[in-house]
Amino acid sequence: MTERQQPVLSVQGLTIDLPPTADRPHAVRDISFDVKQGEIVCLLGESGSGKSVIAQAVMGLLPKTLVTTAGDITLLGESVCKANGERLRQLRGEKMAMVFQEPMTALNPIMTCGDQVDEQLWQHTKLSTSERRQKVLDIFARVKLPDPERVLRSYPHQLSGGQRQRIVIAMALILKPALLICDEPTTALDVTTQAEILSLIAELQAQSNTAVLFITHDLGVVAEIADRVVVLKLGEMVEQGDRLDVLQQPKESYTQMLLAAVPGLVPKHREPIVDAYPLLQTVNLSKTYWTGAWPKRKHRVDAAKNISLKVLPGETVGLVGESGSGKSTVARCIARLIEPSAGEIFADGLSIATVTGRALYPFRRVVQIVFQDPYRSLNPRRTVGEAIIEGPLNFGASRAEAWKQAEELMHLVRLSPDALHRYPNEFSGGQRQRISIARALACKPKVLIADEAVSALDVSVQAQILELLDEIQQRLHIGILFITHDLRVASQICDRIIVMQRGEIVEEGATQDVFVNPQHTYTQTLLAAAPGRGFQFGLA
């Protein structure tokens, strides 16, 4: 074998047991694959498939509740499973490093970004302070951070999500490890930032000939970056092979199911909604923030500026754009979770832009919102049944009526009514999102605001939630304001698209028109940045 062919990472027959109370005996069972120098191997699968457990095992970071009972992991020929704590600390950083999904939880909020990257050099090298500082500035420039001197002094909260992810990548690469593990590093990022991070990882990997183990459930990302793919299901390895073989000629039904669930960028044909009285309308809606305080000069930020939109009965209107474009600000203003600075909001004919207190009660029945993270929006101390009936009880329904309606709603969102007696932590992410939708529908709204409601879900669960929303809309004829940065999702569910940039609407129109013939350069940039654009999944 040549040096190129020697595996940097070799996982052979790996089996990791779950605690006795778990719903299955093994987190992963009999997993084997290699990652060679200069190669990107993607671990693909739904939540609970064991992807992150494998990454933790490679890094020697398995929680004590998980036990490796068979197999071995070797890094550059050395067993990771047999290494003691001291040796593992030496290997981390020098020989292997990890980029985590959420940089805000991976970074220390009370340390500057420069100090956090410098800590790696201080722990593993004998460089002087000035030499370490220069190396940190060099890696910041290499990961294309603007103004490295400023970033060096900045704290994590002072940077954008994409910049924080670049800091985490800089920390991982500063010691030039042989193996880089990326655990869902782009899941929560908008398409343009995601494209930049993927391009950066591929560029840095090519420059250093690093082996990369890339963990994701996004098939668009896999199509964009992978050399080889390993498909996992409930801890079992279903299929592995070259990217084109797995994505275009999948052998196993599970892989075929995942590929079939990927929403396409070509919009579905949707019959135009006949002109009707809008259920929801905003006119020149604006939200302004002022930053800074005396004695410094205050700075004006227009989070949303002169936003005018309509949502008709039975219509889904998509609000798309990058993080910071003002999408969620508009949603929260419409839902009256924050106060708009100017403009009008009409919901089912009611003017509610300046209404406060109890006068908002009728409006709360008209407009309901489903948030991105259902676990944070559900009270962990209350059963899901109590969460669903809370709204109807507040509006005067009897407990018996509210509970009967909750049982009907559970059928509507394809869950068993028996689940009403369980707590949020007893459900999967997709099930919790179904419960959040049921809770929103319990108040019998005419408009549903879905704020990134499927962005963190697996493609198969995402497809189920989108199908569910479509079915509910057809049955109840409600209007949906669908907020997302995922253009694939928007193309499949939306009748009309509104594109936002820096707090303003830059383009709007029928989904087919916007996706097939975008007029604004920003819309063109968003579409061009979609991962896997033009890739034909599951076709020979």
Side-chain angles (χ1 to χ4, degrees):
M1 278 189 173
T2 66
E3 185 182 356
R4 161 78 182 178
Q5 294 172 317
Q6 291 288 344
V8 172
L9 173 70
S10 182
V11 177
Q12 296 299 322
L14 183 67
T15 299
I16 299 172
D17 285 358
L18 286 167
T21 55
D23 58 358
R24 66 178 198 251
H26 309 292
V28 293
R29 188 174 75 86
D30 195 23
I31 303 297
S32 298
F33 64 89
D34 293 337
V35 186
K36 299 173 184 176
Q37 187 178 15
E39 183 180 48
I40 300 178
V41 174
C42 279
L43 291 185
L44 173 67
E46 298 173 287
S47 296
S49 61
K51 306 185 301 293
S52 293
V53 170
I54 293 172
Q56 290 172 336
V58 172
M59 291 291 292
L61 296 174
L62 276 178
K64 293 180 180 178
T65 53
L66 302 183
V67 181
T68 302
T69 54
D72 198 9
I73 301 167
T74 56
L75 178 69
L76 298 171
E78 180 178 354
S79 174
V80 173
C81 296
K82 297 174 183 175
N84 59 29
E86 181 60 34
R87 180 55 182 157
L88 282 172
R89 282 190 290 274
Q90 292 172 353
L91 291 174
R92 294 184 204 121
E94 290 183 16
K95 302 298 182 184
M96 59 180 173
M98 190 163 177
V99 178
F100 294 93
Q101 177 176 351
E102 178 46 67
M104 250 333 231
T105 58
L107 294 170
N108 189 329
I110 61 171
M111 287 178 69
T112 65
C113 294
D115 284 345
Q116 295 190 58
V117 180
D118 176 68
E119 190 175 30
Q120 288 278 76
L121 296 171
W122 180 77
Q123 287 279 354
H124 294 279
T125 73
K126 296 181 180 180
L127 297 173
S128 67
T129 302
S130 60
E131 289 173 326
R132 295 201 311 270
R133 186 179 189 278
Q134 188 56 51
K135 274 196 169 292
V136 173
L137 289 172
D138 289 344
I139 194 69
F140 281 179
R142 193 178 171 203
V143 299
K144 300 178 182 177
L145 279 163
D147 193 358
E149 287 279 1
R150 178 187 63 81
V151 174
L152 190 82
R153 302 186 299 271
S154 299
Y155 290 88
H157 72 273
Q158 295 175 305
L159 304 178
S160 69
Q163 289 173 337
R164 286 195 291 265
Q165 196 62 283
R166 290 170 191 269
I167 294 292
V168 176
I169 293 172
M171 290 175 65
L173 293 175
I174 189 76
L175 293 172
K176 298 182 179 178
L179 174 69
L180 179 66
I181 302 173
C182 300
D183 189 2
E184 301 274 14
T186 62
T187 296
L189 302 177
D190 51 65
V191 285
T192 50
T193 307
Q194 183 183 65
E196 291 171 1
I197 295 298
L198 292 177
S199 175
L200 174 66
I201 290 171
E203 181 184 328
L204 296 174
Q205 177 261 348
Q207 288 174 2
S208 303
N209 214 17
T210 308
V212 177
L213 181 62
F214 199 101
I215 295 166
T216 186
H217 63 249
D218 189 329
L219 283 138
V221 170
V222 175
E224 198 78 27
I225 202 170
D227 293 310
R228 289 193 303 113
V229 181
V230 177
V231 183
L232 301 174
K233 177 188 178 183
L234 297 176
E236 306 270 351
M237 189 171 70
V238 174
E239 186 169 355
Q240 70 169 309
D242 290 340
R243 175 186 56 134
L244 292 179
D245 291 341
V246 173
L247 296 187
Q248 293 189 331
Q249 296 177 318
K251 296 181 176 65
E252 301 298 325
S253 58
Y254 177 73
T255 313
Q256 294 166 4
M257 181 276 293
L258 287 180
L259 293 167
V262 179
L265 269 171
V266 178
K268 284 184 177 179
H269 174 71
R270 299 175 72 89
E271 291 295 330
I273 306 295
V274 293
D275 198 18
Y277 191 78
L279 295 173
L280 176 69
Q281 182 176 7
T282 69
V283 181
N284 295 328
L285 181 68
S286 299
K287 179 62 179 179
T288 301
Y289 293 102
W290 293 90
T291 62
W294 188 88
K296 294 182 179 179
R297 189 174 179 179
K298 286 190 175 182
H299 179 62
R300 174 178 174 142
V301 178
D302 289 313
K305 187 176 181 181
N306 298 327
I307 304 299
S308 296
L309 58 84
K310 293 180 182 179
V311 180
L312 304 178
E315 181 182 45
T316 300
V317 177
L319 206 55
V320 304
E322 298 172 289
S323 298
S325 62
K327 308 184 302 294
S328 291
T329 297
V330 170
R332 289 170 184 273
C333 283
I334 292 173
R336 290 303 311 276
L337 299 177
I338 57 175
E339 297 296 317
S341 302
E344 286 284 353
I345 304 171
F346 299 96
D348 199 27
L350 300 171
S351 176
I352 52 90
T354 58
V355 176
T356 58
R358 294 185 66 86
L360 275 173
Y361 269 35
F363 163 72
R364 295 294 180 211
R365 298 203 71 159
V366 176
V367 177
Q368 285 285 305
I369 188 166
V370 179
F371 295 99
Q372 176 175 356
D373 187 347
Y375 197 70
R376 290 177 62 188
S377 61
L378 293 169
N379 189 332
R381 295 186 175 186
R382 303 184 71 183
T383 64
V384 298
E386 292 297 325
I388 292 172
I389 69 173
E390 182 181 15
L393 290 178
N394 289 339
F395 288 118
S398 70
R399 188 174 181 86
E401 290 171 337
W403 194 266
K404 182 180 178 181
Q405 183 188 5
E407 291 178 335
E408 293 170 355
L409 285 169
M410 292 300 274
H411 284 299
L412 184 63
V413 298
R414 301 176 197 159
L415 289 173
S416 169
D418 295 340
L420 291 170
H421 301 283
R422 294 160 60 189
Y423 290 86
N425 68 296
E426 299 178 68
F427 297 90
S428 69
Q431 289 172 327
R432 284 196 289 265
Q433 197 61 285
R434 291 169 187 269
I435 291 162
S436 295
I437 292 170
R439 184 180 62 172
L441 293 174
C443 295
K444 299 181 179 178
K446 296 185 177 181
V447 177
L448 196 63
I449 300 174
D451 188 3
E452 300 281 11
V454 298
S455 64
L457 302 177
D458 303 320
V459 286
S460 55
V461 179
Q462 186 182 80
Q464 293 167 13
I465 297 296
L466 293 178
E467 184 182 343
L468 174 64
L469 286 173
D470 212 20
E471 180 185 320
I472 288 170
Q473 186 178 54
Q474 290 177 27
R475 288 181 60 176
L476 305 180
H477 213 55
I478 61 175
I480 299 177
L481 182 62
F482 195 89
I483 295 160
T484 185
H485 63 250
D486 191 328
L487 298 175
R488 290 180 179 276
V489 169
S491 73
Q492 299 304 298
I493 197 172
C494 298
D495 298 290
R496 289 191 298 113
I497 295 289
I498 296 172
V499 184
M500 288 189 66
Q501 181 187 29
R502 296 174 187 167
E504 298 187 77
I505 294 175
V506 296
E507 186 168 354
E508 61 181 305
T511 304
Q512 182 80 16
D513 296 338
V514 172
F515 273 73
V516 174
N517 187 26
Q519 300 299 305
H520 197 277
T521 53
Y522 177 69
T523 312
Q524 294 165 4
T525 301
L526 286 180
L527 289 166
R533 179 177 173 81
F535 193 89
Q536 297 297 316
F537 293 97
L539 297 176

